[in-house]
Amino acid sequence: MIPVMPPTVSRRALLRSGGLVGLAGLLAACDGSEGPDSTSPTGAVEPDDPTTWPPDTTLLLSARRRVHGYLAALEVVEVPSGRASRLRDAWEAQLETVEQLVTLGGVPLPAPPTDPVVTAAPDDTARTTAPTDDADRTAGPERPPADRLGQVLRADVTEALRDASTATPTHLAMLVSVAAQHAASAQELGAAVDWPPLAGPRDAAAVALLAALRPAVFGLEVLAARSRGEERADYESVLEEVAGLTRQLTSLAGRAAPVPPLGYDLPEPLADREDRRDLAVRLVADVAPAALTTATRVSGDVAQLTGVARVVAEAVSWDRRLGGRGSPFPGMTAP
């Protein structure tokens, strides 16, 4: 049977539980006692003193700064409306979650950055071709191409993963997930990340990931064999990348890698194109959660965390190419 990843804890549930804890602290403070509650997680926080902030707060604020910049740039660059809408929805969801985590820790949010990460071309670079209608006559400066924003995202991935390597287990997986989503977005905007050679996860940490990659290879092989034309080409292009990554992870796992089974059970009859496509999406959807489960095992190792983020980012790309819906936090339940 194809392994099903255990459900991850919803980030929204964590936020709600955090809110309930904060409410309980507020009610307890009404018992007539004076002075701050020493048991409150926010009682000792000084807004102007980062040394009193909860762990990871500065990392969350750095992520907030980056996402704010991307959202502002999205209004400047030339991106097809459908793609811009998807990216905007994802980044706004990331921003909302990060800001809630900061404020639940008792730290007030600073003013968002105002400097755009991508600026429009000056007026003298406006179109020189003759306008074809009234709208073109008043169009103004030409908008920068989408890959300008993609290049910013690509350049930020290194910093984001360096930040993540110092995170506590509480926020590590989320920060890696967000960095991976940004790497995948850079590729979608025409500026694919030039990943270094895969350095991890390795040894026993790679085993859970192989448990998701191997059935994906098997299932995609079956789907390709039962398809024709463009549909088959879609499965084969993703299969080539999944199989290549599986070989690399098998090598990194070394002696810890179990012997793969001869096959996996698949739902039958798979005679309908929609059923085949749905199975393909479900097969690659298992990869990102499996990768994130290894993040805490390689915490502090930037090279291996980069490998984890790369796997998640590639899984995002496969999902998109196969028609999946995507997620602001790939590999995690929706916040």
Side-chain angles (χ1 to χ4, degrees):
M1 296 289 294
I2 298 174
V4 177
M5 296 302 299
T8 54
V9 178
S10 168
R11 179 65 58 176
R12 188 178 300 278
L14 290 175
L15 293 175
R16 287 174 177 166
S17 66
L20 292 175
V21 170
L23 179 59
L26 178 62
L27 294 175
C30 298
D31 63 0
S33 61
E34 297 181 359
D37 180 2
S38 61
T39 64
S40 170
T42 63
V45 171
E46 295 289 341
D48 297 327
D49 185 1
T51 63
T52 68
W53 294 355
D56 302 334
T57 298
T58 56
L59 305 183
L60 295 171
L61 288 174
S62 293
R64 174 181 182 256
R65 170 183 54 79
R66 287 190 289 266
V67 176
H68 258 297
Y70 304 156
L71 282 167
L74 199 58
E75 305 304 317
V76 176
V77 299
E78 188 71 43
V79 183
S81 59
R83 182 176 302 168
S85 179
R86 290 196 308 273
L87 293 174
R88 185 180 299 107
D89 288 347
W91 295 342
E92 286 179 347
Q94 292 172 359
L95 191 62
E96 179 185 6
T97 297
V98 168
E99 289 183 341
Q100 286 180 330
L101 290 171
V102 172
T103 56
L104 283 173
V107 178
L109 293 170
T114 57
D115 295 333
V117 297
V118 176
T119 56
D123 290 343
D124 59 1
T125 62
R127 298 182 182 89
T128 58
T129 55
T132 57
D133 54 38
D134 290 341
D136 281 337
R137 289 188 182 94
T138 60
E142 188 171 326
R143 291 158 66 93
D147 66 351
R148 286 274 300 279
L149 176 54
Q151 291 164 13
V152 174
L153 286 156
R154 178 175 63 191
D156 283 350
V157 167
T158 300
E159 176 191 359
L161 291 173
R162 191 180 299 118
D163 281 356
S165 70
T166 67
T168 66
T170 302
H171 300 116
L172 174 60
M174 186 195 73
L175 291 171
V176 173
S177 173
V178 169
Q181 196 278 334
H182 294 168
S185 297
Q187 181 183 34
E188 189 174 4
L189 291 168
V193 175
D194 185 15
W195 297 103
L198 195 67
R202 56 176 178 259
D203 302 324
V207 173
L209 188 46
L210 285 175
L213 286 167
R214 284 171 168 172
V217 171
F218 177 83
L220 289 168
E221 287 175 339
V222 172
L223 292 172
R226 298 190 183 186
S227 307
R228 296 292 182 270
E230 183 179 339
E231 182 191 4
R232 179 171 184 169
D234 288 345
Y235 299 144
E236 288 180 337
S237 68
V238 173
L239 171 61
E240 181 179 4
E241 296 176 16
V242 178
L245 186 61
T246 303
R247 288 191 293 270
Q248 293 181 70
L249 265 298
T250 301
S251 178
L252 288 170
R255 294 182 178 180
V259 177
L262 296 178
Y264 300 86
D265 291 335
L266 297 176
E268 293 292 350
L270 294 176
D272 182 82
R273 178 170 184 161
E274 184 176 341
D275 289 342
R276 293 193 295 268
R277 185 71 64 166
D278 179 67
L279 176 59
V281 170
R282 287 190 286 121
L283 286 166
V284 301
D286 287 339
V287 175
L292 285 184
T293 63
T294 71
T296 55
R297 303 188 66 174
V298 299
S299 176
D301 188 326
V302 178
Q304 291 203 70
L305 278 177
T306 298
V308 172
R310 173 183 170 181
V311 173
V312 176
E314 292 193 7
V316 172
S317 173
W318 302 332
D319 176 81
R320 183 174 63 245
R321 286 152 56 187
L322 292 170
R325 296 190 303 173
S327 168
F329 301 90
M332 306 181 74
T333 54

